[in-house]
């Protein structure tokens, strides 16, 4: 799916937010079981009162022509769900040291609070 976004961004003149609006419209159509075509995209653009050029809609439809959106979504979800790599020993030691420093600071704050109560 990421490659599709990049390809659409290169082939279309829309930038940033506009491209995402069109991609969301395409995903909405797909989720509703409707064909992702110019007419259906234009309907969503009109209903949402979006400022999108006809050429941008055509570019998105052309870019998605050979894309199986369901498969792309499954691939994107599977790639996004990959576990994070394990932290190296150095990173783990740094995290432990940071936690100890935070605990020491908390202890100092509590001690200072106790002294303040004396006065």
């Amino acid at each position: 799916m990421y490659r599709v976004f990049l390809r659409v961004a290169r082939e279309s003149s829309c930038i940033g937010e506009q491209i995402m609006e069109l991609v969301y419209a395409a995903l909405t159509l797909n989720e509703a079981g409707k064909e992702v075509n110019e007419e259906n995209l234009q309907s969503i653009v009109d209903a949402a009162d979006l400022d999108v050029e006809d050429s941008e809609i055509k570019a998105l439809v052309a870019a998605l022509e050979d894309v199986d959106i369901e498969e792309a979504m499954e691939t994107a979800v599977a790639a996004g769900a990959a576990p994070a790599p394990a932290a190296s020993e150095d990173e783990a030691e740094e995290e432990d040291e940071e936690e100890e420093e935070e605990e020491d600071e908390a202890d100092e704050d509590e001690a200072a609070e106790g002294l303040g109560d004396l006065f």
Side-chain angles (χ1 to χ4, degrees):
M1 190 79 175
Y2 179 71
R3 283 183 267 145
V4 172
F5 289 138
L6 290 178
R7 185 174 63 174
V8 170
R10 283 191 301 268
E11 293 175 2
S12 126
S13 63
C14 55
I15 301 171
E17 190 173 309
Q18 291 174 334
I19 192 170
M20 293 309 299
E21 290 169 343
L22 285 175
V23 169
Y24 290 142
L27 291 173
T28 300
L29 286 170
N30 182 70
E31 185 67 27
K34 305 284 184 177
E35 183 180 354
V36 179
N37 59 31
E38 291 176 37
E39 182 181 332
N40 290 344
L41 278 174
Q42 188 64 53
S43 296
I44 291 179
V45 166
D46 292 342
D49 195 29
L50 301 174
D51 184 25
V52 178
E53 300 287 326
D54 290 341
S55 61
E56 295 167 342
I57 293 172
K58 288 179 184 182
L60 178 68
V61 171
L64 293 176
E65 187 175 349
D66 297 327
V67 175
D68 180 355
I69 295 176
E70 291 296 322
E71 182 181 331
M73 290 297 293
E74 288 174 13
T75 303
V77 169
S88 68
E89 280 186 43
D90 293 339
E91 291 174 339
E93 288 176 2
E94 288 176 11
E95 288 177 5
D96 289 343
E97 289 174 7
E98 289 175 8
E99 288 176 7
E100 288 176 22
E101 288 175 10
E102 289 175 9
E103 289 174 4
D104 290 343
E105 289 175 8
D107 291 342
E108 290 174 8
D109 290 343
E110 289 176 6
E113 225 175 63
L115 287 175
D117 290 342
L118 293 174
F119 299 103

